[in-house]
Amino acid sequence: MDKKYLKLFLDPIKKCKTYKPKLGTNDKNGVDLSGFKTLYGEDPFYAWIGLDSDLMYAAHKAAGGMTSVYRQVGVGCERLFRQIIIDTARYENPSLAEWSYMTKTSAGKDKKLSLDGRLEFSEIKNIDLKSRLNDWVNSYCNGLDVQKPSNGVVFEVRQGYKSKDSKRQNGDIDNASVAWAKGYLPVFSIFSSQIDGDIVTRYRNSRCGILVGIPSDNSEASLFAFCQQVLGYDLADFFKRNSGTIKAEVTSILEALLNPQ
């Protein structure tokens, strides 16, 4: 099981090792050091002030690469969490772990929006999980002062939540409103512990569930406690067991990003 879960988590992150900055060009593969030297070296102003240097390229590569690392860690978290749901719920059809809906853009076009995981009450084959989830949802909904949803729980997975971007928050709350309308409790699942307390308060006040990666036995606050006590999978122990392997891979990626070559 660890091997499968490690692959799901690490495969997206490994893509970052070959990241190259685009530097305002249309090159979808990015610009390598040689291309950068040509691009900046032929710009009189940049060349005069020394921005056509290997160090400047390394800075661009590292800056964009860090954004890419965070993004791909998020993708790895989504894939890992969804697979844990599939395995623990014993879904006969893996697509049951997915949830999406259609909406309209400002231009009147159809747009599909998706969340990252779903626990559908009627499709869970793991009887013990179904019972634990029922108790958890009842308790959580009491805390939010809402009625229990009819269909299940849907999850939006994030690796962390460092930003206080109001546009993202508004989008999340829009998704949550649709989830409730469709009969689901929306739960935001944050792997990192780094999230502003004001955001947690706003989401709960908007009747959203939110779980954060904190070391706690409270399954209504800690993502790790929820996974262990409700899903029946010890996510924290998975990361502890495989920390050495994951760290080695991430270190090699960071070293590649910090190298101008």
Side-chain angles (χ1 to χ4, degrees), residues 14-176:
K14 289 179 180 179
K15 296 178 182 178
C16 301
K17 189 175 289 188
T18 58
Y19 171 85
K20 294 181 179 64
K22 292 186 178 181
L23 299 169
T25 71
N26 293 321
D27 190 340
K28 64 180 181 180
N29 295 317
V31 178
D32 61 14
L33 178 59
S34 175
F36 168 82
K37 298 284 278 188
T38 299
L39 181 66
Y40 274 46
E42 292 178 352
D43 184 308
F45 175 65
Y46 282 174
W48 288 335
I49 65 175
L51 293 186
D52 59 338
S53 71
D54 289 15
L55 289 175
M56 192 63 186
Y57 178 74
H60 274 289
K61 187 178 174 185
M66 292 307 101
T67 300
S68 180
V69 167
Y70 281 119
R71 183 183 301 116
Q72 295 305 324
V73 167
V75 173
C77 290
E78 294 168 16
R79 294 179 181 177
L80 172 61
F81 190 77
R82 186 162 48 246
Q83 189 62 50
I84 290 171
I85 285 177
I86 292 169
D87 293 340
T88 57
R90 300 173 192 163
Y91 280 148
E92 293 180 351
N93 183 348
S95 67
L96 290 168
E98 302 170 1
W99 184 74
S100 62
Y101 67 94
M102 298 301 296
T103 187
K104 292 284 187 182
T105 67
S106 58
K109 295 183 178 179
D110 289 332
K111 181 179 181 180
K112 184 178 181 180
L113 296 177
S114 304
L115 268 67
D116 304 314
R118 173 172 60 169
L119 284 167
E120 187 79 21
F121 292 144
S122 63
E123 299 290 346
I124 296 172
K125 303 304 180 185
N126 182 338
I127 303 303
D128 290 337
L129 168 55
K130 183 180 287 190
S131 176
R132 293 192 301 267
L133 181 66
N134 183 69
D135 291 343
W136 184 86
V137 171
N138 280 332
S139 177
Y140 207 103
C141 287
N142 284 338
L144 292 177
D145 193 25
V146 292
Q147 291 186 340
K148 179 184 175 183
S150 57
N151 293 332
V153 184
V154 289
F155 299 88
E156 173 70 7
V157 178
R158 304 267 166 79
Q159 58 82 17
Y161 207 138
K162 299 177 185 295
S163 170
K164 295 192 73 170
D165 182 359
S166 60
K167 184 177 180 180
R168 169 178 281 192
Q169 292 177 41
N170 292 339
D172 283 345
I173 291 170
D174 286 346
N175 286 339

Side-chain angles (χ1 to χ4, degrees), residues 8 13 39 50 58 75 109 119 141 180 189 200-201 223 235 246:
L8 284 169
I13 306 172
L39 181 66
V75 173
K109 295 183 178 179
L119 284 167
C141 287
W180 274 116
S189 303
V200 175
T201 299
L223 175 63
L235 180 61
I246 296 171

Side-chain angles (χ1 to χ4, degrees), residues 117-259:
R118 173 172 60 169
L119 284 167
E120 187 79 21
F121 292 144
S122 63
E123 299 290 346
I124 296 172
K125 303 304 180 185
N126 182 338
I127 303 303
D128 290 337
L129 168 55
K130 183 180 287 190
S131 176
R132 293 192 301 267
L133 181 66
N134 183 69
D135 291 343
W136 184 86
V137 171
N138 280 332
S139 177
Y140 207 103
C141 287
N142 284 338
L144 292 177
D145 193 25
V146 292
Q147 291 186 340
K148 179 184 175 183
S150 57
N151 293 332
V153 184
V154 289
F155 299 88
E156 173 70 7
V157 178
R158 304 267 166 79
Q159 58 82 17
Y161 207 138
K162 299 177 185 295
S163 170
K164 295 192 73 170
D165 182 359
S166 60
K167 184 177 180 180
R168 169 178 281 192
Q169 292 177 41
N170 292 339
D172 283 345
I173 291 170
D174 286 346
N175 286 339
S177 297
V178 175
W180 274 116
K182 300 285 188 181
Y184 295 99
L185 165 65
V187 176
F188 293 87
S189 303
I190 316 298
F191 274 58
S192 168
S193 64
Q194 298 184 36
I195 182 171
D196 191 281
D198 291 342
I199 297 175
V200 175
T201 299
R202 184 185 182 197
Y203 280 31
R204 285 187 61 89
N205 286 342
S206 300
R207 303 306 184 258
C208 305
I210 186 161
L211 299 169
V212 181
I214 54 175
S216 167
D217 292 330
N218 183 354
S219 65
E220 295 182 20
S222 168
L223 175 63
F224 303 131
F226 173 82
C227 288
Q228 183 176 23
Q229 297 173 24
V230 182
L231 294 183
Y233 182 78
D234 195 334
L235 180 61
D237 193 56
F238 163 78
F239 282 110
K240 290 175 185 175
R241 287 195 310 273
N242 296 285
S243 178
T245 301
I246 296 171
K247 281 182 177 180
E249 188 64 50
V250 170
T251 296
S252 70
I253 292 165
L254 296 179
E255 288 174 345
L257 291 175
L258 292 170
N259 188 330

